[in-house]
Amino acid sequence: MKQIRLALAMLIPAAVVACSYIGIEARTPGIALVESVSADNADISIPYKKYLMDNGLTVIIHEDHSDPLVHLDVTYHVGSAREQVGKSGFAHLYEHMMFQGSENVGDEEHFKLVTEAGGELNGTTNADRTNYYQTVPVNHLEKMLWLEADRMGFLLSAVTGEKFERQRETVKNERRQYIDNVPYAGRHERIARALYPYGHPYSWPVIGYMEDLDRAELDDIKAFYRRWYGPNNATLTIGGAVDTEQVLPLVEKYFAAIPRGPEVNSREKQQLVLAGDRYISMEDKVQFPMLEMVLPTVYARHPDEAALDVLAEILAGGKSSILYKNLVANKLALQVYAYQPCRELACTFNINALPHPASGKSLADMEHMIRDAFSEFARRGVMQADLDKIKAKMTARLVFDLQSVKGKVSKLAEYQTFTGDANYIHRELARYSEITRQDVMRVFNTYIKGQAAVIMSVVPEGEPAQAAAADNFTPERFQAAEEEKSRPQLGFVPRKAPQEPFDRSVMPAAGVLPHVNLPALWRASTDNGLEILGTQSRETPTTSLLIKVPAGLYHQQAGQAGVAALTAAMLNEATLNYSAGQMADALDKLGSRIEISLQAGYTQILVASLSKHLDQTLALVQEKLLRPAFTVEDFSRVKQLALEGLRHNMKDAGYLADSAYRGLLYGNSVAALPAGGTLATLPGMGLQEVIGFYQRHFKAKGTQIILVSDLPQQQLSEKIDRLFGSWQGEAPRVELSLPMPEIAKNTIYLVDKAGAPQSEIRIGKRSLPFDVNGEFFKAGLMNFVLGGNFNSRIMMNLREDKAYAYSAQTAFNGNKYAGDFTAAAAVRADVTGKAILEFNRELKHYADKGISGAEHSFMRRAISQKNALKYETPENKLAFLAQILAYRPAPEFVKQQAHTLANISRQEVNALAKKHITPDDMFYLVVGDAKTLRPQLQALGYRVEEVIPNEIKN
């Protein structure tokens, strides 16, 4: 869903930001400084310097010395919208291809080098741009520049037919995992074909049509690269603990010689108008029918975009919105939301609804009720309170987006790519702050009221009559033979190889590893037994806190599975002094967020607030936590939603696999049961059971509060004591019995998901509970090269070598009560048996032969350098502090971990592998089409036993 950025009601004064536009050469040859932006005491600003290179590359540098890391982003102004009819998916394919090595970087080496540096990396593609990014300790900056320059200027010599075929198969696996095997996911492609005219660049999916990729040839994709991936179509953004004057010569060294690509022109914006409603439908493996109405509107950063965003919030942006109150609160719909996804060339206004099965309402009824809501809005109009709360809410989101260097760099890159103004943040603030009630009504009347829409019905297989109306539109289909004759071909645009005074094949050495300062911690406790741990972070004027109440999944009885989750859900409903809608309004007016979730040992309350609003936010937290209303009406709706959500999850292969696997690991204990309950326990559960669980377990003593704030300890302690000091009581301790299960030898447990294009595989066993620096910690080090990083043995085998899966991994998972070792992947259905053999081969080989010397060194380097990234954001710090409170390690435990890592020998790693990686002692579970999988699995020599996940046992 599109993230909307909104401004404070009062604009930041223009004088706060000093911009100078300079047309002279910088001291580095070939790089001209064109803009310098500084900020003085601005709440929302990103200081930077922008340069333009002779070859057209835009370079933006943001200095932020708060953490010893650097985030580097290269954004190319090319996405699926630059493709041609019949040649879709090329931009996304290059997201994969550009990690496969270049002229001076070996195959798979990009991932390996960033991982070894203790960094993180990825790439993303959408319709309008592709970006590649990495966050690493700052001493590896030059190496990252070398990597990015090599794939910008020296990729094609390393693009082989073999790599092309391998990544084409990887893309197909990605599609199977995230589209073909996911309920409702296929609707987006059909809506796009119905909404946009034939040949429109948004009429095909970003991932592309697989038949287009099958038809593509190596020369096609090479031509696409030459056309779009030149420096003059890219923005290089660098942010972090850098010195601009030291960075510029490095940028010039690695990028200046890369020749320009063909010129890139802006695309024409196209505002669509439909002549009439277009009804389309699809059958899918879903539990509930779904209706989605899509209306064409404007385009990104059009003067009316912001007002349409506000309209979407008023219609369905929270529990006080019109559609929520009319449909969800009245139990007519399970969910309803409105949003406006905006892209460079066009935006749409989307409304999505799932009818409540108990309401008897059809998709046609949903459509009528949505249209009735439009009429209600036309009568009601826009209230100033609507604007005020939405502006505050969105401004806070923007502040939170800037809590990391990555967030700031991403903003600069986005603004520069799509507006040419990296400092667009202030214009974005202005366009939302200046919205009036009249603006919102005008865009409603112009783009929504009485306008035609694409109306998509997704119905369960075999039930086409559930569609809102009969299909009345058939999109034009691509005809390969005819199109090949008439359409223009992508031409080769040669790039001249540069003559350079240095050898690009020599990888730059890393600098001195920067010192990482751990957060300075403070502790406090209250008379009623609250434990408090905090740290001060002055990077943004925000406060994040985590409240952990010892009332988790493991506190419930087996016969009451789901009571803890229902209790957590009820805390999000009415309180004694607020209705759910009033609470949502109050939070929106502050721009604050309160999220309640269930863990094994705790109910967690995550709070994010601008510090200036912390008192009001904590008062709302207190209201939710200590004064829930527990009304019969709320409980009835929440319980029914839980039941329907459970039924919906039964259509998701990954969920089924995790559920059935958990049952194998933990047998009949409470740990085996789903957090949300089962079809056996939920129907008979009453409100009094929820109230009883709350009264027994939601007590002050033992509750932990973790804080990360720009405010000092004394202020925070006083606020906590004032609001929660009167809370009393102590909850009963967990009495948990988790007997070890018996492993059935030579058996594969099979969960049937008829027609599934992929199989979910889980292989594993019960293992170690979590510890900070003991055997669990060491087992994680041992697992790193087996299946704990992108270049792991498992990933390289199943994804890169065999193309069986999009991703595959192994991991040790644990909490203070129990743990497991698990190998997991979603694989092509036709190679399920082969994938199991490969898993077994890798596990046994690692147990028998152990880690190599090179792998051992790689593991130690990669993990030892991660600390630069560990404590950057408030959420990072919250997780670190929460671990300290939960496991109470010695104060010097970080140094102890470093000592363990530095001294763990190959012999110790190999002993751990031999002890814990034992396939003969593991469960084997597969979720997929039983009819076709059973013979395949039996042919391996396994006994196949079908099982039913705990959720659906009666």
Side-chain angles (χ1 to χ4, degrees):
M1 186 181 294
K2 179 183 159 207
Q3 294 297 311
I4 306 165
R5 274 72 175 170
L6 223 61
L8 291 166
M10 181 179 296
L11 286 177
I12 297 173
V16 167
V17 179
C19 302
S20 55
Y21 296 85
I22 304 170
I24 62 173
E25 291 289 317
R27 274 179 273 178
T28 302
I31 304 178
L33 173 65
V34 295
E35 183 182 23
S36 180
V37 173
S38 58
D40 297 314
N41 302 318
D43 286 340
I44 304 178
S45 63
I46 314 173
Y48 65 88
K49 290 184 178 180
K50 182 168 74 174
Y51 300 85
L52 184 64
M53 300 186 71
D54 289 348
N55 60 7
L57 178 66
T58 298
V59 181
I60 299 172
I61 302 175
H62 162 68
E63 294 192 25
D64 179 344
H65 295 271
S66 55
D67 293 282
L69 56 83
V70 62
H71 182 83
L72 187 149
D73 176 289
V74 178
T75 296
Y76 295 92
H77 198 169
V78 55
S80 59
R82 300 286 193 183
E83 298 161 353
Q84 294 179 338
V85 175
K87 291 194 171 182
S88 66
F90 284 20
H92 174 259
L93 180 67
Y94 264 105
E95 181 195 317
H96 290 255
M97 294 297 295
M98 288 178 76
F99 285 109
Q100 299 306 304
S102 48
E103 184 173 316
N104 302 293
V105 180
D107 297 356
E108 316 300 340
E109 193 173 11
H110 197 122
F111 273 103
K112 182 178 180 180
L113 290 174
V114 177
T115 302
E116 188 174 37
E120 299 171 350
L121 76 163
N122 212 333
T124 68
T125 309
N126 63 30
D128 302 316
R129 65 99 185 101
T130 305
N131 77 326
Y132 301 90
Y133 59 87
Q134 39 267 309
T135 308
V136 294
V138 69
N139 59 312
H140 290 277
L141 172 61
E142 184 175 0
K143 189 182 300 182
M144 299 304 108
L145 291 169
W146 172 73
L147 286 169
E148 287 292 358
D150 211 62
R151 60 182 175 187
M152 179 183 286
F154 305 87
L155 182 79
L156 289 188
S157 63
V159 174
T160 64
E162 181 184 358
K163 289 182 182 178
F164 173 41
E165 293 296 337
R166 187 189 310 143
Q167 294 312 309
R168 179 158 52 184
E169 287 305 309
T170 299
V171 170
K172 291 179 181 179
N173 286 325
E174 183 178 2
R175 180 187 174 89
R176 293 183 189 102
Q177 184 166 343
Y178 294 113
I179 298 176
D180 298 341
N181 213 24
V182 175
Y184 306 110
R187 76 185 191 278
H188 301 292
E189 293 181 13
R190 302 195 183 206
I191 289 172
R193 288 209 307 266
L195 180 67
Y196 296 106
Y198 177 76
H200 189 285
Y202 292 164
S203 64
W204 54 80
V206 172
I207 200 170
Y209 295 122
M210 296 305 100
E211 56 266 32
D212 287 354
L213 286 179
D214 284 339
R215 195 170 48 249
E217 298 179 355
L218 186 61
D219 282 349
D220 291 329
I221 68 164
K222 285 187 174 183
F224 188 81
Y225 173 84
R226 286 191 173 101
R227 175 65 185 89
W228 298 112
Y229 293 83
N232 52 307
N233 196 34
T235 298
L236 167 64
T237 310
I238 301 165
V242 298
D243 183 322
T244 300
E245 295 303 316
Q246 294 178 4
V247 171
L248 287 175
L250 296 176
V251 172
E252 192 276 337
K253 175 181 179 180
Y254 291 108
F255 288 91
I258 301 173
R260 297 175 71 94
E263 293 307 309
V264 177
N265 298 317
S266 299
R267 303 295 299 274
E268 181 184 353
K269 310 295 194 296
Q270 301 182 33
Q271 290 184 245
L272 305 178
V273 178
L274 302 179
D277 288 330
R278 296 178 177 180
Y279 287 91
I280 59 173
S281 64
M282 63 176 283
E283 297 180 38
D284 198 3
K285 293 178 173 62
V286 296
Q287 180 70 27
F288 314 109
M290 172 189 284
L291 182 85
E292 185 148 8
M293 295 179 63
V294 181
L295 299 95
T297 55
V298 289
Y299 51 83
R301 297 176 181 85
H302 181 282
D304 287 343
E305 181 198 2
L308 284 160
D309 288 338
V310 173
L311 174 63
E313 284 285 327
I314 295 171
L315 286 175
K319 291 184 177 181
S320 63
S321 65
I322 293 173
L323 284 168
Y324 185 91
K325 289 192 296 185
N326 290 0
L327 300 183
V328 179
N330 289 329
K331 302 181 186 178
L332 300 176
L334 292 172
Q335 70 174 36
V336 63
Y337 56 88
Y339 62 105
Q340 190 191 207
C342 248
R343 293 182 281 186
E344 186 174 19
L345 307 182
C347 306
T348 59
F349 196 94
N350 297 25
I351 302 128
N352 181 291
L354 269 70
H356 198 302
S359 71
K361 299 297 182 182
S362 65
L363 293 185
D365 295 329
M366 286 289 108
E367 181 188 349
H368 290 309
M369 287 186 283
I370 290 170
R371 296 188 188 278
D372 287 344
F374 290 165
S375 299
E376 180 182 339
F377 174 77
R379 295 189 301 270
R380 169 193 182 273
V382 182
M383 302 175 186
Q384 187 60 42
D386 294 330
L387 297 183
D388 293 343
K389 73 178 183 182
I390 292 169
K391 289 175 182 179
K393 175 180 177 181
M394 299 307 175
T395 301
R397 283 188 190 177
L398 183 54
V399 174
F400 289 124
D401 282 347
L402 304 183
Q403 288 183 319
S404 68
V405 172
K406 176 183 176 181
K408 287 178 275 194
V409 165
S410 298
K411 284 290 174 201
L412 293 171
E414 174 193 345
Y415 292 148
Q416 176 62 35
T417 300
F418 294 118
T419 74
D421 178 10
N423 196 36
Y424 189 84
I425 191 168
H426 296 287
R427 292 170 61 189
E428 186 155 24
L429 289 169
R431 70 194 187 110
Y432 283 98
S433 291
E434 295 168 357
I435 293 172
T436 66
R437 297 160 63 184
Q438 291 74 23
D439 289 332
V440 180
M441 291 306 303
R442 176 178 52 77
V443 298
F444 170 74
N445 290 324
T446 303
Y447 304 105
I448 308 301
K449 183 180 179 181
Q451 298 301 310
V454 170
I455 301 162
M456 176 77 200
S457 299
V458 183
V459 300
E461 285 183 322
E463 301 181 37
Q466 288 199 41
D471 289 13
N472 67 357
F473 181 81
T474 303
E476 185 178 350
R477 298 288 295 181
F478 169 68
Q479 301 296 325
E482 296 178 11
E483 195 71 20
E484 288 289 343
K485 297 176 185 177
S486 60
R487 65 189 172 90
Q489 297 295 308
L490 291 167
F492 283 88
V493 182
R495 294 186 190 172
K496 186 179 179 181
Q499 298 295 319
E500 298 179 293
F502 72 101
D503 184 356
R504 283 186 182 266
S505 67
V506 178
M507 181 176 64
V512 178
L513 183 66
H515 176 72
V516 180
N517 292 317
L518 298 179
L521 310 181
W522 56 265
R523 294 176 182 266
S525 60
T526 60
D527 293 341
N528 58 350
L530 297 175
E531 294 183 89
I532 307 171
L533 185 62
T535 188
Q536 189 171 25
S537 176
R538 295 188 176 94
E539 294 176 37
T540 54
T542 59
T543 297
S544 297
L545 76 155
L546 184 65
I547 302 175
K548 299 178 65 175
V549 183
L553 170 66
Y554 290 175
H555 290 79
Q556 60 188 1
Q557 301 300 312
Q560 288 189 323
V563 68
L566 285 178
T567 305
M570 289 294 288
L571 296 181
N572 272 322
E573 298 299 324
T575 70
L576 295 181
N577 298 305
Y578 291 80
S579 69
Q582 289 170 335
M583 175 64 73
D585 277 348
L587 286 168
D588 286 347
K589 289 174 183 175
L590 300 171
S592 300
R593 189 173 79 248
I594 301 174
E595 298 174 357
I596 302 175
S597 62
L598 185 67
Q599 308 295 319
Y602 297 91
T603 294
Q604 288 194 162
I605 304 165
L606 178 64
V607 183
S609 172
L610 299 178
S611 293
K612 63 184 178 182
H613 295 151
L614 183 58
D615 285 338
Q616 300 99 307
T617 301
L618 287 178
L620 296 175
V621 175
Q622 181 200 49
E623 183 73 19
K624 279 178 171 285
L625 182 58
L626 304 186
R627 287 184 286 275
F630 290 128
T631 68
V632 173
E633 181 181 7
D634 283 345
F635 177 73
S636 175
R637 177 168 37 80
V638 166
K639 175 182 167 180
Q640 191 63 38
L641 284 173
L643 277 166
E644 302 306 341
L646 185 57
R647 295 186 178 107
H648 167 72
N649 288 337
M650 292 301 99
K651 300 293 184 178
D652 185 275
Y655 182 90
L656 287 170
D658 291 339
S659 171
Y661 179 65
R662 190 171 55 244
L664 295 174
L665 288 177
Y666 294 107
N668 293 320
S669 72
V670 68
L673 297 173
T678 74
L679 294 181
T681 59
L682 280 181
M685 193 169 294
L687 178 57
Q688 289 307 312
E689 291 173 89
V690 168
I691 294 174
F693 184 83
Y694 172 82
Q695 291 176 339
R696 283 192 303 275
H697 296 287
F698 279 74
K699 304 296 185 182
K701 190 169 184 179
T703 292
Q704 300 171 350
I705 300 180
I706 302 104
L707 300 113
V708 178
S709 175
D710 64 319
L711 301 177
Q713 173 184 353
Q714 183 175 350
Q715 276 186 253
L716 293 170
S717 295
E718 289 173 354
K719 294 177 190 297
I720 296 295
D721 192 54
R722 183 173 67 252
L723 288 165
F724 298 101
S726 62
W727 187 20
Q728 297 298 319
E730 181 177 2
R733 296 183 180 276
V734 173
E735 298 292 339
L736 191 64
S737 175
L738 299 175
M740 293 296 289
E742 293 186 7
I743 306 290
K745 302 290 186 180
N746 204 40
T747 298
I748 293 179
Y749 294 95
L750 179 62
V751 178
D752 184 27
K753 188 177 187 294
Q758 279 189 317
S759 301
E760 288 279 353
I761 297 174
R762 302 290 184 273
I763 302 172
K765 63 174 185 175
R766 285 272 293 280
S767 190
L768 300 163
F770 182 90
D771 63 54
V772 169
N773 195 36
E775 190 167 354
F776 178 91
F777 175 76
K778 294 177 181 179
L781 302 181
M782 174 268 290
N783 178 70
F784 188 75
V785 300
L786 173 62
N789 75 93
F790 185 88
N791 288 83
S792 69
R793 295 184 181 189
I794 294 290
M795 190 74 156
M796 288 297 100
N797 184 331
L798 293 182
R799 172 173 160 142
E800 298 301 323
D801 295 341
K802 305 296 190 306
Y804 290 169
Y806 177 65
S807 64
Q809 56 278 322
T810 60
F812 286 87
N813 310 290
N815 53 43
K816 64 174 62 176
Y817 306 102
D820 63 80
F821 170 81
T822 300
V827 303
R828 284 179 8 226
D830 63 306
V831 297
T832 304
K834 293 179 179 178
I836 291 173
L837 291 179
E838 292 303 322
F839 262 124
N840 271 341
R841 185 175 293 118
E842 292 289 356
L843 295 175
K844 289 178 178 177
H845 185 264
Y846 195 54
D848 292 342
K849 303 298 183 182
I851 193 171
S852 70
E855 288 174 325
H856 182 246
S857 299
F858 169 75
M859 177 269 291
R860 292 203 297 184
R861 285 194 298 269
I863 297 176
S864 67
Q865 298 185 91
K866 281 181 174 292
N867 283 345
L869 281 65
K870 270 187 179 180
Y871 318 115
E872 183 195 7
T873 67
E875 288 193 3
N876 295 149
K877 292 181 175 74
L878 280 179
F880 175 70
L881 270 60
Q883 186 180 96
I884 292 174
L885 272 186
Y887 296 98
R888 307 183 189 282
E892 66 278 7
F893 81 97
V894 174
K895 291 182 179 179
Q896 291 173 346
Q897 287 180 334
H899 183 269
T900 297
L901 177 61
N903 290 279
I904 191 168
S905 65
R906 286 180 62 192
Q907 290 74 20
E908 187 173 2
V909 170
N910 292 341
L912 288 165
K914 191 172 292 292
K915 178 179 179 181
H916 294 290
I917 310 301
T918 53
D920 291 342
D921 299 327
M922 295 181 184
F923 292 110
Y924 290 76
L925 174 79
V926 176
V927 176
D929 185 71
K931 183 178 179 181
T932 57
L933 288 179
R934 180 181 288 275
Q936 189 183 147
L937 300 176
Q938 289 174 333
L940 300 178
Y942 288 94
R943 183 174 69 90
V944 178
E945 179 180 332
E946 286 199 36
V947 294
I948 300 173
N950 284 318
E951 279 89 332
I952 54 179
K953 290 179 180 178
N954 286 301

